[in-house]
Amino acid sequence: MELAPRPLRLTTGATLAVFAILAAGLVAGSILDVHIAAIHPGALAISSSQWRFILGAGIWAAAVLIWSFVLQRLFPIDASDRMTSRGLWFDSFWFGGELARQLTWLPLYFAFLIWVKRHLLGNFELIAPGTMPRAMLLILGILTGDFLAYGSHIARHRFDFLWNFHAVHHSQRELNLFTQHRFHDLDTFADMAIRTLPLMILTPGLVVVGVYNTVALIHFRLYHCPIRSNYGPLRYILVTPQSHRIHHASDPRLQNTNFGIFFSVWDHIFGTQHRSYDQYETQLGLEDSMFPVEQDTTVGGFAAVYAAQLVYPIAKLLSVRTSEPAPEPVHNNEFDITRSVR
């Protein structure tokens, strides 16, 4: 009888090594940002109007944080749940780490994607500047960007290499407003490449990308909260706290549904929507005993668990053992885009 693998644990030395690598990466990213800005002034610069936009987005994000706490208190999944779970405190680690890397490596990665697009296709764009009203371009860009995000989400479930990194996001057993930031860097980089490159070919400039990502981030944070709501009729248009909770269920069949990122229309169109709109799963996370979860340690051990979660996808890729493919989705739509999704 094959024993289930034990949770991944790192020694103190290995944990320190992970954090040393992270620190070195942040320093390297900062140095490269300064170097590129010195050689190519304006390449990574942000205009005054963009700063005003970022400030406004930050104010809205703060408002959403407060409002999500209020909604969680008024419409809880379980009235006995505490407002501040261990998962919430631990995901603040992910929030801080992601914020630090976004301030250093994200501008460089965007610059790299722009370089790739220009190197391969030059200035080619499907929609030339000035050929479409700005409002129509914004709407088209948002819809296209969301559809690409939907496809990216499916790809990161479908292919084992990508899934190993995306599984980190699915490991949270206690969804909270910081779970949105629980993404491995390589998962984020893959997602951005899948979504951003086609969008840059479609539209001139990254304004649409910036607007969509900023507004969507606020919505993402809200629907990761444990709020008992399916938004009523709006559930046919928007991803809801109820529908996304289904997607985070530990049952792999439910994980293979509700792939929408901002809009739920793609799930309804392509048959990936789980149609039990009043179902609130209680068993969340991964069915993988190898994954190190923060609920199994003390608060003092959070740093070691955080480092182990970063290493987990690499350990899975190096492991000889392979996992069984996930069962088919629970619905029986005639056209099922997830027929081969893991």
Side-chain angles (χ1 to χ4, degrees):
M1 180 177 178
E2 184 179 356
L3 297 177
R6 294 181 178 180
L8 177 66
R9 292 286 185 265
L10 299 182
T11 64
T12 302
T15 299
L16 293 175
V18 171
F19 279 98
I21 293 172
L22 291 177
L26 294 179
V27 172
S30 300
I31 293 174
L32 286 173
D33 284 335
V34 173
H35 181 66
I36 292 177
I39 297 177
H40 303 286
L44 301 176
I46 300 177
S47 66
S48 59
S49 61
Q50 289 174 319
W51 275 119
R52 288 194 296 271
F53 178 79
I54 292 173
L55 178 60
I59 295 174
W60 275 106
V64 169
L65 290 178
I66 297 173
W67 185 233
S68 61
F69 269 115
V70 173
L71 292 176
Q72 183 178 339
R73 185 64 178 267
L74 294 176
F75 307 102
I77 300 293
D78 185 343
S80 63
D81 288 345
R82 295 188 304 171
M83 294 289 292
T84 55
S85 65
R86 179 168 293 194
L88 171 69
W89 292 117
F90 186 79
D91 280 348
S92 65
F93 267 74
W94 283 97
F95 173 69
E98 183 193 50
L99 180 61
R101 292 188 285 275
Q102 281 184 345
L103 293 174
T104 54
W105 281 104
L106 188 62
L108 294 172
Y109 188 60
F110 263 121
F112 171 73
L113 293 178
I114 294 172
W115 178 87
V116 170
K117 187 263 183 182
R118 290 178 177 172
H119 182 72
L120 296 178
L121 298 172
N123 294 323
F124 173 76
E125 291 156 350
L126 292 175
I127 302 175
T131 59
M132 180 179 290
R134 191 175 184 84
M136 291 183 61
L137 181 64
L138 182 64
I139 294 173
L140 178 62
I142 290 175
L143 290 176
T144 304
D146 194 68
F147 178 70
L148 290 169
Y150 169 78
S152 168
H153 197 179
I154 289 179
R156 285 144 59 216
H157 277 254
R158 168 64 179 87
F159 300 105
D160 285 345
F161 176 82
L162 297 177
W163 166 252
N164 286 324
F165 294 96
H166 185 59
V168 173
H169 180 66
H170 276 268
S171 64
Q172 181 54 270
R173 297 177 177 179
E174 301 168 328
L175 291 183
N176 60 81
L177 57 89
F178 285 131
T179 301
Q180 167 53 29
H181 303 281
R182 188 186 181 111
F183 281 99
H184 198 283
D185 293 271
L186 293 182
D187 184 29
T188 299
F189 286 176
D191 180 41
M192 286 176 59
I194 294 171
R195 291 188 292 135
T196 305
L197 285 174
L199 203 56
M200 285 193 292
I201 296 173
L202 172 69
T203 77
L206 293 175
V207 176
V208 170
V209 179
V211 170
Y212 169 76
N213 285 342
T214 303
V215 176
L217 180 60
I218 298 173
H219 182 46
F220 300 162
R221 187 174 287 122
L222 184 62
Y223 67 58
H224 277 96
C225 290
I227 299 171
R228 182 175 290 275
S229 175
N230 61 18
Y231 291 176
L234 285 177
R235 65 176 178 262
Y236 299 109
I237 301 174
L238 299 175
V239 175
T240 73
Q242 182 274 333
S243 66
H244 200 67
R245 189 177 183 87
I246 292 294
H247 181 69
H248 273 268
S250 59
D251 185 341
R253 295 171 300 175
L254 297 181
Q255 289 176 7
N256 279 334
T257 63
N258 300 357
F259 291 102
I261 302 300
F262 193 94
F263 298 109
S264 63
V265 292
W266 316 117
D267 283 307
H268 287 94
I269 291 174
F270 295 109
T272 54
Q273 179 69 38
H274 183 69
R275 298 184 183 276
S276 296
Y277 298 111
D278 295 319
Q279 179 180 349
Y280 291 87
E281 282 294 302
T282 57
Q283 298 299 318
L284 310 178
L286 295 176
E287 291 186 342
D288 185 356
S289 57
M290 179 180 172
F291 192 89
V293 294
E294 61 271 18
Q295 287 82 3
D296 293 341
T297 188
T298 62
V299 175
F302 274 6
V305 174
Y306 177 68
Q309 289 183 357
L310 287 171
V311 172
Y312 164 84
I314 308 299
K316 291 287 288 186
L317 290 173
L318 296 177
S319 175
V320 177
R321 181 179 60 86
T322 58
S323 58
E324 293 295 323
E328 291 291 324
V330 295
H331 51 78
N332 295 311
N333 299 74
E334 183 177 353
F335 177 63
D336 185 4
I337 200 171
T338 63
R339 199 164 293 280
S340 61
V341 173
R342 81 171 267 117

